[in-house]
Amino acid sequence: MPSAPPPLTRDTVAGVIARCLKARGIDTVFALCGGHIMPIWMRLDAEGIRIVDVRDERAAVYMAHAHGHMAGGLGVALVTAGPGVTNAMTGIANAHVARAPVLVLSGVPPQPQENRGALQDIVHTDLVRSLTRYARTVRDPALVLQELDEAMARACGHGGEPGPVYLDFPTDTLRATVPAALQRDELFLARPAPRPQPEPAAVACAAELLWGARRPLVISGRGARGAGRELVALLDALGAPYLDTGEGKGLVPDRHPSVVAAMRGSVMSEADVVLTVGRRLDFQLGYGSPAIFGNAQFVRISDAPSELRDNRRGAAEVLAPVDLALTALLAAARGRTPAIDRAWAYALRERHEERAARLQAAMRSAPADAQGLMHPNTLLAAVQDAIGTAAVVVADGGDFLAFARVGLQCGAYLDPGSLGCIGIGTAFGIGAQLATPGRTVAVLTGDGAFGFNAMEIDTAARHRVPILIVVANNGAWQIEVHDQTLNHGKVVGTRLQDADHAAMARAFGLYGERVERAVDLPAALARAMARLPALVDVKVSPAAMSSDAKTGLAWVPDLQPLAAWDEAERAWRSSAG
């Protein structure tokens, strides 16, 4: 019989890691087991931290990402060495682009076996360094708490950009004892994020620009989470039109008079001052180009430097926690009447409401195709009725995501983000639901996107996570099919088979039902909602064409992401030259 490893006490490195996480309020870790991380695994369990064991490491990071997003804190994933880390890298990359605070823990071979061809021996830190805010291998037990403290501070953006961090440990280090003298109380304590006050001159400049604007526009993003009350107060005081662009959906109620989501193109081109609140000027906002925004000046508020100066510098830039910055902005403008053209703002809202009403009516009356297959909007209208408007919605895919993003109302919203990381759906749904027990969480995904992490339905079943998964099944990577058909004259390698995903769900213990007729949808969704976790596989028309497919997103124009914006950019550059 081989000799057993030494006992894993609470004073081992693995024990100290688990105790530190618990002290910091971490109650759930998303993980896939392996020998190199077994000491951490067992000590997490000993400390009463829930382990949600997954089927693929990237899903562990996706779940940690969504869990942290919905809980407003740090998400934690634990993955084993070698392929465990390489599998996790897509999830790490997505969190990196989304600026999501995620701690990823792993292991490496014992130190006497390093660089000798050991099982799963690879330098993980070299692989993940460009995707993380901090990446270290911790070999000395005396440094474990110091490194954990630094990594978690970096992840949460204490003094810099928030985002994923990575630590790994040789397995022999995990079994070693941390000297009692170095288990200092201050390293176990959770630390609140620094909250520097906004610089008064920058706030005064921002207030002058915004309250002096005739056509101000407010756009929120990641950084506005947790500042919904202050954001609504700003909109009430300023009367400016508002766009959320997905990152902050749910912060401002759809019924608020500032919301003009259906008028995105018009308001972006007409605004004279644009306030970005914790939002990068990425491809979804035309990189802030004058070709899209005309001669508008920008005011930029964020707690992260990159959201102040990417692509367009602000005429005023305020680096501070968003709630503090908005409160200071309101105080600086107190008693002042905004110069906004109210007729312009009212007209935008009226046209938004008209378009939104037409869209809702069109969703409910969308005709079936020649083969009798329902339009994706028909599916979305039925889902809206089933889940209400306060649910957490995770939208995933290409073509179907475009329909869902425009057509659904919800209380909170997650999607693949600006990395375009399709396949997050089921994993995000699991993480979101575990962070918000009692809320309805609906995953709305295309069949192609669902396939990336389809096995995570097993995770939902085993852990009894009550999510609703709705698969829009058109048997294709449909946005690419449209692109190939229109621009290349033939379809190559972008069609899928007519698979029964409901049968797969039933095989793993979920309630599963397949629907082919619109008339059967309401009852099927009701049955699914009563038997969560559940999956409803719905046959939809491949002929339906989303707004993203129509705008040229798939064929990737040279200068801008959309064909119309690309043409505008070319014209602007020519005229500017």
Side-chain angles (χ1 to χ4, degrees):
M1 292 288 292
S3 58
L8 293 168
T9 70
R10 66 193 306 270
D11 292 318
T12 59
V13 168
V16 168
I17 291 170
R19 287 164 51 208
C20 184
L21 292 178
K22 186 174 182 178
R24 299 291 183 102
I26 302 300
D27 58 9
T28 304
V29 171
F30 302 91
L32 205 162
C33 200
H36 293 96
I37 58 170
M38 189 64 73
I40 302 176
W41 190 282
M42 300 312 296
R43 287 311 307 178
L44 291 174
D45 179 70
E47 292 294 335
I49 295 174
R50 181 179 187 179
I51 299 172
V52 177
D53 56 304
V54 304
R55 298 299 300 268
D56 186 280
E57 288 87 357
R58 64 184 161 172
V61 184
Y62 292 154
M63 291 179 198
H65 177 162
H67 191 273
H69 175 104
M70 294 303 299
L74 178 71
V76 180
L78 174 63
V79 303
T80 199
V85 173
T86 58
N87 285 347
M89 285 178 64
T90 299
I92 296 171
N94 195 46
H96 165 66
V97 173
R99 304 175 301 289
V102 177
L103 169 64
V104 181
L105 300 173
S106 187
V108 295
Q111 294 175 84
Q113 299 182 47
E114 280 192 59
N115 201 31
R116 298 181 65 194
L119 175 67
Q120 298 180 336
D121 187 10
I122 190 170
V123 183
H124 305 135
T125 51
D126 285 354
L127 299 176
V128 303
R129 187 161 284 115
S130 67
L131 303 174
T132 56
R133 306 296 180 261
Y134 193 71
R136 292 291 302 274
T137 296
V138 184
R139 294 179 173 84
D140 187 344
L143 297 177
V144 59
L145 278 170
Q146 177 180 319
E147 291 287 6
L148 274 171
D149 183 57
E150 181 67 20
M152 288 189 275
R154 298 274 191 108
C156 295
H158 294 185
E161 189 94 350
V165 296
Y166 174 88
L167 293 177
D168 62 23
F169 309 81
T171 309
D172 58 329
T173 298
L174 291 173
R175 293 192 282 254
T177 298
V178 178
L182 296 176
Q183 295 184 40
R184 302 191 306 276
D185 288 346
E186 71 264 23
L187 292 175
F188 285 93
L189 295 176
R191 302 283 178 172
R195 290 176 60 76
Q197 291 294 320
E199 204 277 317
V203 171
C205 181
E208 184 67 28
L209 286 164
L210 288 164
W211 263 256
R214 294 285 291 160
R215 298 186 304 279
L217 168 64
V218 178
I219 304 175
S220 73
R222 172 214 62 86
R225 297 173 200 150
R229 181 179 62 182
E230 292 81 5
L231 180 59
V232 170
L234 173 75
L235 295 173
D236 289 342
L238 187 59
Y242 168 74
L243 298 175
D244 65 43
T245 66
E247 286 191 8
K249 193 162 186 168
L251 287 177
V252 177
D254 288 334
R255 64 182 180 276
H256 193 280
S258 287
V259 173
V260 293
M263 299 302 298
R264 173 180 161 183
S266 296
V267 72
M268 284 167 58
S269 65
E270 294 172 5
D272 58 2
V273 175
V274 178
L275 169 63
T276 63
V277 183
R279 184 64 164 87
R280 295 192 67 183
L281 288 169
D282 61 13
F283 78 95
Q284 298 173 82
L285 293 172
Y287 311 116
S289 171
I292 313 303
F293 286 93
N295 294 321
Q297 292 181 291
F298 281 78
V299 174
R300 310 203 63 181
I301 292 174
S302 182
D303 60 353
S306 71
E307 293 168 351
L308 289 183
R309 54 178 179 259
D310 68 307
N311 292 314
R312 288 288 296 271
R313 297 301 299 255
E317 298 172 347
V318 183
L319 179 62
V322 167
D323 60 334
L324 296 183
L326 294 178
T327 298
L329 185 58
L330 285 166
R334 186 174 293 123
R336 180 170 177 174
T337 300
I340 186 171
D341 180 347
R342 297 196 180 276
W344 170 76
Y346 292 151
L348 280 169
R349 176 64 183 179
E350 286 180 356
R351 286 154 60 200
H352 160 80
E353 290 177 333
E354 290 170 1
R355 284 192 178 182
R358 286 200 304 270
L359 174 60
Q360 293 299 314
M363 285 175 65
R364 297 184 179 280
S365 61
D369 66 14
Q371 285 70 46
L373 293 173
M374 73 182 81
H375 193 284
N377 279 336
T378 303
L379 167 58
L380 290 170
V383 168
Q384 186 79 81
D385 291 341
I387 67 174
T389 59
V392 178
V393 168
V394 179
D396 192 12
D399 229 30
F400 189 55
L401 168 62
F403 287 112
R405 182 183 65 237
V406 173
L408 277 182
Q409 296 179 337
C410 57
Y413 175 85
L414 299 93
D415 68 16
S418 57
L419 186 62
C421 193
I422 67 171
I424 52 86
T426 302
F428 263 31
I430 292 170
Q433 205 289 320
L434 290 174
T436 57
R439 289 190 73 174
T440 296
V441 176
V443 176
L444 309 180
T445 178
D447 53 336
F450 174 69
F452 279 98
N453 286 280
M455 284 298 290
E456 297 309 325
I457 62 174
D458 174 63
T459 305
R462 285 183 295 104
H463 291 275
R464 299 177 182 174
V465 184
I467 59 172
L468 172 68
I469 303 169
V470 179
V471 180
N473 189 344
N474 57 17
W477 301 99
Q478 198 57 49
I479 199 167
E480 284 75 22
V481 168
H482 289 313
D483 174 39
Q484 290 178 342
T485 302
L486 293 173
N487 297 312
H488 303 280
K490 63 185 298 188
V491 175
V492 182
T494 52
R495 295 201 189 279
L496 302 170
Q497 64 173 309
D498 181 12
D500 187 345
H501 302 98
M504 178 185 178
R506 291 193 296 271
F508 282 94
L510 280 75
Y511 178 80
E513 189 167 345
R514 194 170 213 221
V515 180
E516 298 190 7
R517 301 188 309 159
V519 68
D520 298 326
L521 259 178
L525 289 168
R527 287 188 290 271
M529 291 289 289
R531 295 169 173 84
L532 300 175
L535 185 149
V536 181
D537 184 36
V538 185
K539 291 282 290 179
V540 298
S541 172
M545 200 169 186
S546 72
S547 58
D548 283 354
K550 293 175 183 176
T551 53
L553 188 67
W555 63 265
V556 192
D558 289 342
L559 303 179
Q560 285 281 352
L562 306 180
W565 287 0
D566 191 67
E567 293 172 5
E569 183 77 20
R570 291 178 188 279
W572 172 73
R573 292 188 182 192
S574 296
S575 64

